[in-house]
Amino acid sequence: MTCSRRKFVLGMGSVVFFSAPLFSTLAGTEKGKAVRYAMIHDETLCNGCNLCVTACRKVNDVPEGMARMSIAHIPLTPPDQGNQYHFFRYACQHCEEAPCITVCPTGASYRDQATGIVRVNRPTCIGCSYCISACPYQVRYLNPVTHVADKCDFCFESRLSKGFPPICVSACPQQALLFGREDSEPIQRWLKTHDYYRYQLPGAGEAHVYRRPGPHSAEEVKA
């Protein structure tokens, strides 16, 4: 598939772009608002090496053939026009008004009140797959061993609860990922000094993954 970046973005759903100088505050900083954690993916730095995906599989015991996250290599131009790629992170958006939470019959899919992270309570999950079908991003899977729904939870159990950032952030050699509270100084500083967008599909609320758009050439991928 080849297309211009504009055509690709228009086909992705609702993509909201922000110009850095115009953006000053986030929901997490407003009085009375719940804490929210956010992930930033700088596509101008990402080279599609997939080390983040490999690290995620290992740390979170992801079964073969399944994935909590992936990096899509999306060609934007034909080879004779530069052969540029868009590296797009596919993972849970930890969106507001998450449909996976609404459809869960046991409450196993829920939003952690202390962090705003959408999580799965394994003991109460019955493996009905309702949440998997409801997710418009199709980033959940049913673990064939445990028969429990699983997805990216920012490594809450394996790392975040122990004081470490998600493994994808630590594993990225390009430092293309930034993670933290949305109201924290590093996150706010980045959002105020960079142009970015949020990818949102119908049926889901605002995403808590922020993206800085930027294609790469085939030569950069090989490097």
Side-chain angles (χ1 to χ4, degrees), residues 34 38 74 89 98 148 153 169 171 175 180 190 197 199 204 211 216 219:
I74 303 171
R89 175 189 171 99
V148 168
D153 61 358
V169 177
Q175 297 183 329
W190 192 96
Y197 72 98
Y199 172 44
R211 308 166 189 270
H216 288 269
E219 288 71 25

Side-chain angles (χ1 to χ4, degrees), residues 67 172 208:
C172 180
H208 288 271

Side-chain angles (χ1 to χ4, degrees), residues 39 51-52 55 159 164-175 177 179:
M39 178 74 73
L51 288 178
C52 57
R159 291 178 59 86
F164 299 101
I167 189 60
C168 57
V169 177
S170 299
C172 180
Q174 304 299 319
Q175 297 183 329
L177 296 171
F179 175 81

